[in-house]
């Protein structure tokens, strides 16, 4: 069984009844988490009651993508103290955030920390990181296994690097924070659904999962914007959604 479960789909802060960025990807019984923002760990525990995941990948240090790592650390520390450390692929600033939140348990006692900036083998996947433009260091990730390729942007502005990140992927998970482009000259750290779909089309992705919606956004508008420029399947991230792979 291969599937992706949406743990959270909001950017910045969670709307009532929702959570911020987070996904649980399962392939060949290997479970890897992509981001754990505000409110995601409760949803994760519905599927992994004692935090029994095989790896975690965190794209960047913003709390709407990493803060619930602290909660996962507590779960593992108290519920599974003798379990092996969880491989954590992140940039160094993520650990600074975790230690500032709660130094005990120290993240290094729960997680086996790896630099996300380097290609790696993660269970059945080859992981290829892509530095992407954001307000802090951010890595898009491409996870490839025989017959399955998933790419995820984290947060990012429009960039040519997305063409290679999403090239021929079965599922492209893309930041769709905005519904209108910001004024010219504004820093671009996030995208519109139109931009996400434009890069999905350019990359030859087969399916596009829009996520990281600004709280209060009408997601039907974002979906319509994406479908206007992308001919493949457009999926709108919703908490609890299961995407078969």
């Amino acid at each position: 069984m291969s599937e992706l479960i949406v743990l959270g789909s909001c950017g910045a802060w969670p709307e009532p009844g929702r959570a911020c960025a987070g996904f649980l990807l399962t392939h060949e019984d290997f479970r890897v988490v992509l981001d754990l923002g505000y409110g995601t760990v409760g949803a994760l525990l519905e599927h992994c009651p004692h935090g029994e995941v095989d790896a975690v990948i965190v794209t960047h240090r913003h709390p709407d993508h990493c803060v619930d790592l602290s909660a996962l650390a507590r779960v593992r520390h108290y519920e599974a103290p003798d379990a092996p450390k969880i491989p954590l692929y992140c940039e160094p600033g993520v650990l600074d955030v975790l230690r500032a939140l709660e130094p005990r348990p120290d993240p290094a006692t729960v997680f086996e920390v790896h630099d996300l900036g380097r290609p790696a083998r993660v269970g059945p996947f080859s992981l290829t990181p892509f530095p992407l433009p954001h307000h802090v260091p951010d890595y898009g990730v491409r996870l490839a296994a025989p017959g399955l390729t998933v790419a995820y942007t984290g947060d990012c502005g429009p960039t040519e690097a997305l063409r290679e990140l999403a090239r021929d992927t079965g599922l492209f998970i893309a930041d769709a924070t905005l519904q209108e482009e910001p004024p010219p000259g504004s820093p671009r750290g996030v995208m519109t659904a139109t931009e996400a779909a434009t890069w999905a089309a350019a990359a030859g992705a087969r399916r596009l999962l829009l996520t990281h919606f600004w709280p209060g956004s009408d997601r039907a508008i974002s979906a319509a914007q994406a479908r206007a420029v992308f001919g493949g399947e457009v999926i709108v991230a919703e908490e609890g959604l299961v995407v078969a792979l």
Side-chain angles (χ1 to χ4, degrees):
M1 178 184 68
S2 300
E3 65 181 21
L4 180 92
I5 299 174
V6 178
L7 306 176
S9 63
C10 290
W13 68 90
E15 296 176 351
R18 295 190 183 274
C20 282
F23 305 90
L24 176 62
L25 172 62
T26 301
H27 179 61
E28 295 182 353
D29 295 323
F30 187 91
R31 292 178 287 194
V32 56
V33 173
L34 305 176
D35 283 345
L36 272 176
Y38 298 120
T40 52
V41 83
L44 176 65
L45 296 179
E46 291 182 5
H47 306 281
C48 310
H50 303 289
E52 58 272 36
V53 298
D54 298 298
V56 178
I57 299 169
V58 173
T59 57
H60 64 289
R61 72 186 71 171
H62 279 156
D64 58 330
H65 291 256
C66 77
V67 76
D68 267 18
L69 271 173
S70 181
L72 177 59
R74 286 188 167 200
V75 172
R76 293 285 287 204
H77 178 74
Y78 290 107
E79 294 290 313
D82 298 322
K85 294 181 181 180
I86 303 172
L88 169 62
Y89 300 82
C90 65
E91 56 92 12
V94 171
L95 293 181
D96 295 336
V97 171
L98 295 184
R99 288 185 171 123
L101 281 168
E102 177 52 83
R104 293 181 299 274
D106 185 275
T109 67
V110 175
F111 300 110
E112 178 185 283
V113 182
H114 302 269
D115 182 359
L116 183 54
R118 300 176 181 175
R121 189 78 193 174
V122 182
F125 297 104
S126 61
L127 183 158
T128 306
F130 289 77
L132 299 176
H134 192 46
H135 308 296
V136 297
D138 173 80
Y139 288 97
V141 292
R142 181 182 176 93
L143 293 167
L148 176 65
T149 307
V150 175
Y152 173 44
T153 63
D155 296 353
C156 75
T159 172
E160 182 67 30
L162 294 173
R163 187 191 304 271
E164 187 62 21
L165 169 64
R167 177 178 49 83
D168 298 328
T169 52
L171 182 67
F172 180 36
I173 309 166
D175 166 43
T177 306
L178 307 176
Q179 292 185 331
E180 296 182 3
E181 291 185 31
S186 300
R188 294 306 310 275
V190 292
M191 289 192 291
T192 66
T194 299
E195 290 168 333
T198 298
W199 286 109
R206 291 186 288 282
R207 291 193 290 175
L208 171 64
L209 177 61
L210 300 174
T211 192
H212 202 263
F213 299 100
W214 190 259
S217 297
D218 183 340
R219 299 182 180 201
I221 292 174
S222 297
Q225 290 172 338
R227 290 178 180 128
V229 295
F230 179 65
E233 182 182 2
V234 174
I235 307 168
V236 176
E238 298 282 352
E239 281 68 13
L241 176 69
V242 179
V243 181
L245 302 173

